[in-house]
Amino acid sequence: MHLQRANNIFVSSSFFIFITRFFPSLANLLVLVWYSRQLPEDVNGNYLIFWTQLYVIYPFMCLGIHSLVQTYSRNLLANLLSKLTKKHYALYSAWLVLISCVFAWLQYDTGNVRFLTSALFILSFSAGVITESLLIVLRKFGVLSLTGFVYALLFAGIHLWVLGANFSVQTVFSCLLVLNMLKVFVHSCAILLEIRKDKDGYEAEDVDMHAVKLLWVHLGLYDIVQVLSTWVDKFIIALVLTSGVSAIYYYGAQNIPFLPLLLSAAGSAILLQMSDVFGKSRRETTLALLNRSGRLLSSIVFPVFCFLFFFREELFVNVFSEKYIPSIPIFAASILVLPVRAYSFTTVLQQEHKGNIINIGAVGELLLACLLIYPLYNIFGLPGVALSFVVSTYAQAIFYLVQTSKVLGTPVTSLIPLINWLIKLIVFSLLFIAIHYSASIYFTGKFTLILGAAAMVVTGVLSLLVELTLDKKHGRIAEQSPFKEYR
């Protein structure tokens, strides 16, 4: 009964968090498609440069605080905040001003957005990230969902209005600055109202500040490195090449929408189930959970990968317009990383508090990618830049698997459903090649794209149903061993 209740809470909380982030992500995707078709490459490139530099720099302002606060209960968090002094707040405020000025100078140097607008924008953006995390701790999911939905509507509306008027990058971000400030204001009011409900205050608890600081360092470093590994290539391209070329690379190397949310939810679900298993069966159950997660995620990720790879030309021509045909080879290189996303590589390490190993892998992945950028660029051009991060991601995955096998005392091959993955990749690849070849002969590019998308949905659903049926046939997770199942 306790486990069922925990699962119900997890599902409901995950749903609201997903919805909170889904609508802004959807609005951003629509704007990307919209602007790719309406704006010249150089103008669109100037707009995208602002976001690229924002995503690279804002983690240095948050410093992992948004991840840290979600680690603790509201009671422990209140006790932790009570330990902070005016000196701590003053130092952090000075740091915020310094980093916001660095970001503002970058925008001022390009001549796209004014200094004050840029500084206030990144400050309000970072504040929104932290206040959102506080609302999650306070379980104010209704406020988060509503503000996320309204923010997405206004975000899209602002971009539509500015595009219809006399478009300028300055106008877009001036309007978005007001929107960010309104969002932070609503979040802050909701936080204060929730805090006032606790009239009796919070129970005093002993807080191990050394452990908190150590966790903060690990979380802050990991958050910064993860963001850099996603955005540093776009950041470098924006600095050294023209805005038009930057736009072409941005669209080619963009992240697949909503997939990170799905993978994050899967990792959290595994952690939740692992936390309820103790004793001698823990190792076997962990292996079963990892294999099951890999099979289920691959049922979704692999069809998406095959569709995007084999229908990439139709996708770019019909969605982003012919202006971004040069982005297609970059896109083909960047999505080669998708198959490795069908697994949560850090889950066991996180459960075993191996934050140092996780950060070693994250930093190593970023350094390797940066070392590969120049030689691969000389060989393959812009697709080589994207390929450098694909190679480093696979190297990181191998590192995490080896470390996980040491922690669990089991062979690497027992951690992943390798045979299952190979069968799916071969079957799905042959299927999508056949569908693409046949459709391109008899239909137009737009109908070919629709047919491919339909095939992606159907194969994903069927594959998922097959895996779920096999799970029922083999029994519950806690009772089965991964060595008894096909992999």
Side-chain angles (χ1 to χ4, degrees):
M1 184 65 71
H2 173 72
L3 180 57
Q4 184 180 359
R5 181 175 177 272
N7 280 330
N8 290 337
I9 293 173
F10 168 73
V11 171
S12 61
S13 299
S14 299
F15 172 76
F16 282 115
I17 294 171
F18 178 83
I19 289 297
T20 299
R21 295 167 181 171
F22 171 79
F23 288 112
S25 297
L26 178 61
N28 185 62
L29 175 62
L30 293 175
V31 168
L32 281 177
V33 174
W34 203 354
Y35 274 24
S36 71
R37 304 182 70 87
Q38 299 297 324
L39 294 176
E41 294 96 313
D42 56 340
V43 177
N44 195 24
N46 289 330
Y47 167 79
L48 294 173
I49 285 172
F50 184 97
W51 286 114
T52 300
Q53 294 178 344
L54 175 81
Y55 288 132
V56 168
I57 294 175
Y58 95 85
F60 291 94
M61 300 187 70
C62 292
L63 292 175
I65 293 174
H66 58 298
S67 298
L68 182 68
V69 298
Q70 293 186 57
T71 307
Y72 302 108
S73 64
R74 60 191 293 168
N75 185 61
L76 189 56
L77 184 59
N79 281 278
L80 179 60
L81 291 173
S82 69
K83 304 288 184 182
L84 300 179
T85 64
K86 292 181 180 179
K87 180 182 178 181
H88 292 121
Y89 289 108
L91 287 173
Y92 184 58
S93 298
W95 175 257
L96 291 178
V97 172
L98 174 63
I99 301 301
S100 62
C101 287
V102 171
F103 174 74
W105 176 79
L106 285 172
Q107 306 315 309
Y108 179 77
D109 189 54
T110 59
N112 294 322
V113 184
R114 297 190 189 102
F115 188 95
L116 183 60
T117 303
S118 301
L120 291 176
F121 191 95
I122 195 169
L123 279 170
S124 60
F125 184 88
S126 302
V129 172
I130 294 174
T131 54
E132 180 181 291
S133 295
L134 287 170
L135 286 173
I136 290 174
V137 174
L138 297 173
R139 299 189 178 277
K140 302 297 293 181
F141 298 120
V143 175
L144 284 169
S145 301
L146 182 60
T147 54
F149 179 72
V150 173
Y151 176 89
L153 285 179
L154 295 176
F155 182 90
I158 287 171
H159 282 86
L160 175 62
W161 174 75
V162 175
L163 188 63
N166 187 16
F167 178 85
S168 75
V169 178
Q170 171 65 40
T171 304
V172 171
F173 289 105
S174 294
C175 296
L176 291 180
L177 172 59
V178 176
L179 181 59
N180 280 349
M181 288 181 168
L182 288 172
K183 178 183 177 181
V184 172
F185 176 75
V186 172
H187 282 183
S188 301
C189 289
I191 292 170
L192 290 174
L193 289 172
E194 187 65 20
I195 291 174
R196 286 182 179 179
K197 291 180 181 179
D198 301 297
K199 296 179 181 179
D200 299 328
Y202 294 92
E203 247 182 72
E205 292 184 20
D206 290 329
V207 179
D208 187 349
M209 293 302 293
H210 176 72
V212 171
K213 289 177 183 177
L214 187 61
L215 178 61
W216 180 29
V217 170
H218 282 310
L219 290 175
L221 177 61
Y222 185 72
D223 184 60
I224 289 172
V225 172
Q226 285 295 99
V227 173
L228 286 177
S229 66
T230 303
W231 290 95
V232 72
D233 54 336
K234 303 175 185 68
F235 184 83
I236 293 172
I237 295 296
L239 286 179
V240 301
L241 299 176
T242 64
S243 57
V245 174
S246 179
I248 288 172
Y249 183 83
Y250 187 101
Y251 281 94
Q254 64 183 287
N255 298 321
I256 307 305
F258 317 122
L259 196 57
L261 297 180
L262 172 67
L263 301 177
S264 176
S268 298
I270 296 175
L271 282 171
L272 180 67
Q273 290 180 276
M274 285 172 61
S275 65
D276 289 293
V277 180
F278 303 95
K280 295 180 180 178
S281 65
R282 181 177 177 83
R283 174 178 169 275
E284 287 74 17
T285 301
T286 299
L287 291 171
L289 284 169
L290 291 172
N291 279 267
R292 180 178 187 255
S293 172
R295 294 195 309 273
L296 293 178
L297 282 176
S298 63
S299 297
I300 300 172
V301 175
F302 287 5
V304 172
F305 165 70
C306 291
F307 164 69
L308 293 175
F309 187 81
F310 294 112
F311 289 80
R312 59 187 182 275
E313 292 185 8
E314 290 81 5
L315 180 69
F316 270 80
V317 170
N318 290 282
V319 175
F320 299 114
S321 80
E322 296 182 354
K323 291 184 293 186
Y324 290 97
I325 288 178
S327 299
I328 296 175
I330 303 170
F331 183 72
S334 66
I335 62 171
L336 291 175
V337 78
L338 277 188
V340 82
R341 300 299 189 197
Y343 193 83
S344 183
F345 289 94
T346 61
T347 300
V348 174
L349 297 174
Q350 185 177 344
Q351 177 70 18
E352 299 296 329
H353 299 89
K354 301 293 184 181
N356 58 329
I357 294 178
I358 294 174
N359 279 329
I360 289 172
V363 173
E365 187 260 348
L366 179 61
L367 292 177
L368 178 60
C370 291
L371 289 173
L372 291 174
I373 285 177
Y374 185 69
L376 290 181
Y377 174 75
N378 285 333
I379 298 173
F380 301 108
L382 287 178
V385 179
L387 192 61
S388 64
F389 286 85
V390 173
V391 173
S392 65
T393 300
Y394 276 89
Q396 181 193 54
I398 294 171
F399 172 78
Y400 283 148
L401 282 175
V402 171
Q403 294 301 319
T404 300
S405 71
K406 291 179 180 179
V407 170
L408 294 177
T410 187
V412 171
T413 52
S414 69
L415 297 173
I416 55 176
L418 186 59
I419 302 301
N420 180 283
W421 285 356
L422 288 175
I423 291 173
K424 284 178 181 173
L425 275 177
I426 293 171
V427 171
F428 289 154
S429 295
L430 292 175
L431 177 64
F432 278 88
I433 288 172
I435 293 172
H436 181 265
Y437 177 77
S438 302
S440 59
I441 293 176
Y442 298 106
F443 304 110
T444 62
K446 185 175 291 186
F447 192 83
T448 298
L449 181 64
I450 294 172
L451 190 62
M456 175 188 68
V457 173
V458 171
T459 53
V461 170
L462 289 177
S463 180
L464 200 57
L465 289 174
V466 169
E467 294 294 355
L468 291 173
T469 301
L470 289 173
D471 276 344
K472 290 181 180 179
K473 180 181 178 181
H474 287 282
R476 294 181 179 179
I477 291 299
E479 298 171 353
Q480 66 188 23
S481 168
F483 301 104
K484 296 179 181 178
E485 301 175 17
Y486 76 94
R487 292 197 296 272

